[in-house]
């Protein structure tokens, strides 16, 4: 089980844009390139006209685009608007040269979980043909159960796997973000089950105490997640792609660009 | 499925002491009795010499004692001290006239989940003979996954059921607290599985946004949990015992005793 104790290769490090939400794309891309980081995890709200060319010319590749999803909606008009937005997200992913669109599936309007969960499955089913035609795979990301109402009724990897398995592995898979799934007693089994459907692996850490349900995440090594154990599971399941560092915490905006990037690099090499 | 829409009987309402953590036992017991509430959910830190007699003379019964548990510990000395404390908790439950000791199983020292989970199972196994001899059943309460590190490595009802099933149903069961389990996609299945092992049912509500991981709970009706749907599951599984109102929120201390008790009663009748 050497994979569990050895550090991850620097070549797999992907800097997720939300980790530097205070920086513009050009600034971040330049900093990553200077630091020898080869991948970028992109967020739609951080893109700008010419983003694809900018990223390419900095020598970076895009590991995924975040995010599509938010399928449950209270009215058919809202559902149609979200469907259109998800089709645009697919097109933006293709334009950025990534074949992975991360799906944050959406919370529960009106507190009814089962109807919302059904809307997620239906929404993915409707999006698949469009995504497949564009060569983009849909990656269902289960979020931590504490994020159920506002962000995702998909809260376990088992749920994500069950939906993904309705489709071809080349069309729908899952994202494994340690922050969202590390607590799960079924984690090892469900990671093995996901297998070739693992389309991304995200790292950060769980802080004690956690003072913010969304933006209270720590840098790898600052918290309680046994990161190397989980990476071992993911690698034994066959995933050897980019590892995105996705740390949502406003305190990171206090660092200079280069200090933040150096900190991410160091934490990745030391703990991921 | 009339059980899902009808209100719960007032005779089943149990006022959990932590809902009024700012009140002394005598004050709370008097207020509950005056309001026609027949049950009290007791917490060890709120008891005092003569508590059992005080509760009895107010005409109240104790639905459960909270809490034993906190089994994982970093040293054998700590484990032994916790074992002794758990035996005292069993004796206190018996003295209060309740046969239910709630177990908050304890978090993960040193971030290692599997060893901690093993210590929970071992700790329960060591406590069972003592509890059985005292006529007290051990009730494993799974807590919300966001409470894993500090309070409980048992975060799903499936985990609690799996441990409980090693023992006689008269010795070990589970507590179902909506706040901790409502997000679980396997909830209905696991409640049915628990069946006669359901030793308590606790209600409160999930607030949006939730601003405190421990003490940010809402009164029934203030949040997003479909309480009557879950009560329907619990009743179909055969549970018809007390329903504890357990709302941990410091804002409740701003209410007068009688306003708080009236509010609990009203929320229980309206939403539980």
């Amino acid at each position: 089980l050497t994979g569990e104790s050895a550090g991850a290769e620097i070549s797999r490090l992907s800097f997720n844009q939300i980790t530097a939400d205070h920086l513009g794309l050009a600034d971040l891309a330049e900093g990553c390139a200077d630091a020898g980081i080869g991948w970028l995890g992109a967020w739609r709200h951080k893109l700008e006209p010419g983003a694809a060319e900018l990223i390419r010319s900095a020598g970076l590749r895009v590991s995924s685009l975040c995010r599509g999803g938010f399928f449950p909606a209270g009215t058919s008009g809202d559902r149609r608007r979200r469907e259109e937005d998800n089709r645009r997200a697919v097109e933006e992913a293709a334009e950025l040269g990534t074949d992975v669109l991360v799906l944050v599936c959406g919370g529960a309007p009106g507190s009814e979980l089962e109807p919302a969960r059904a809307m997620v499955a239906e929404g993915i089913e409707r999006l698949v043909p469009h995504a497949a035609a564009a060569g983009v795979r849909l990656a269902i990301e289960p979020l931590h159960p504490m994020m159920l109402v506002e962000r995702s009724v998909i809260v376990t990897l088992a749920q994500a796997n069950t939906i993904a398995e309705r489709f071809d592995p080349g069309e729908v898979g899952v994202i494994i973000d340690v922050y969202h799934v590390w607590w799960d007693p079924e984690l090892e089994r469900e990671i093995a089950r996901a297998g070739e459907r693992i389309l991304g692996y995200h790292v950060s850490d769980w802080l004690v105490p956690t003072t913010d349900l969304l933006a209270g995440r720590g840098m790898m090594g600052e918290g309680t997640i046994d990161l190397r154990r989980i990476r071992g599971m993911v690698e034994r399941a066959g995933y050897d792609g980019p590892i995105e560092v996705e740390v949502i915490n406003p305190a990171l905006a206090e660092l200079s660009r280069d200090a933040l990037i150096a900190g991410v690099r160091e934490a990745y090499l030391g703990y991921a």
Side-chain angles (χ1 to χ4, degrees), chain A residues 43 67 143 146-147 151 179-180 210-217 247-250:
Chain A
W43 277 66
R67 62 193 185 197
L143 298 198
M146 69 185 176
M147 300 180 188
R151 288 181 184 79
Y179 193 79
H180 296 303
T210 289
T211 55
D212 186 300
L213 273 65
L214 173 66
R217 305 184 202 180
V247 182
I248 304 182
N249 195 316

Side-chain angles (χ1 to χ4, degrees), chain A residues 83-264:
Chain A
E83 193 174 323
E84 288 162 5
D85 187 61
N86 279 324
R87 287 167 175 257
R88 281 195 296 276
V90 163
E91 287 149 21
E92 289 168 26
E95 192 184 329
L96 288 170
T98 178
D99 66 346
V100 178
L101 177 64
V102 178
L103 299 182
V104 173
C105 291
S111 308
E112 302 203 5
L113 301 191
E114 295 319 315
R117 286 168 174 159
M119 283 186 226
V120 169
E122 289 162 19
I124 291 172
E125 188 169 11
R126 292 175 65 86
L127 189 57
V128 162
H130 188 74
V136 171
R137 295 177 294 173
L138 303 177
I140 305 168
E141 181 170 2
L143 298 198
H144 194 285
M146 69 185 176
M147 300 180 188
L148 185 153
V149 181
E150 294 103 325
R151 288 181 184 79
S152 179
V153 290
I154 305 301
V155 292
T156 66
L157 185 52
Q159 282 180 291
N161 279 334
T162 296
I163 296 176
E165 286 170 358
R166 296 189 192 177
F167 305 95
D168 186 273
E171 293 175 341
V172 181
V174 300
I175 297 288
I176 295 170
D177 182 319
V178 296
Y179 193 79
H180 296 303
V181 301
W182 76 287
W183 57 271
D184 188 346
E186 303 300 337
L187 186 59
E188 187 157 18
R189 184 183 77 184
E190 292 298 328
I191 286 176
R193 176 183 167 195
E196 65 177 329
R197 291 182 190 272
I198 300 174
L199 303 184
Y201 178 55
H202 296 185
V203 293
S204 63
D205 216 334
W206 180 273
L207 297 180
V208 178
T210 289
T211 55
D212 186 300
L213 273 65
L214 173 66
R217 305 184 202 180
M219 195 62 72
M220 297 78 72
E222 291 181 343
T224 60
I225 303 177
D226 191 344
L227 291 162
R228 294 201 171 168
R229 181 160 182 268
I230 299 178
R231 182 162 59 81
M233 297 176 193
V234 169
E235 290 175 353
R236 285 195 295 280
Y239 182 76
D240 60 3
I243 298 173
E244 293 192 16
V245 176
E246 185 181 42
V247 182
I248 304 182
N249 195 316
L252 298 179
E254 293 162 21
L255 300 173
S256 74
R257 179 194 74 175
D258 291 345
L260 173 55
I261 292 173
V264 163

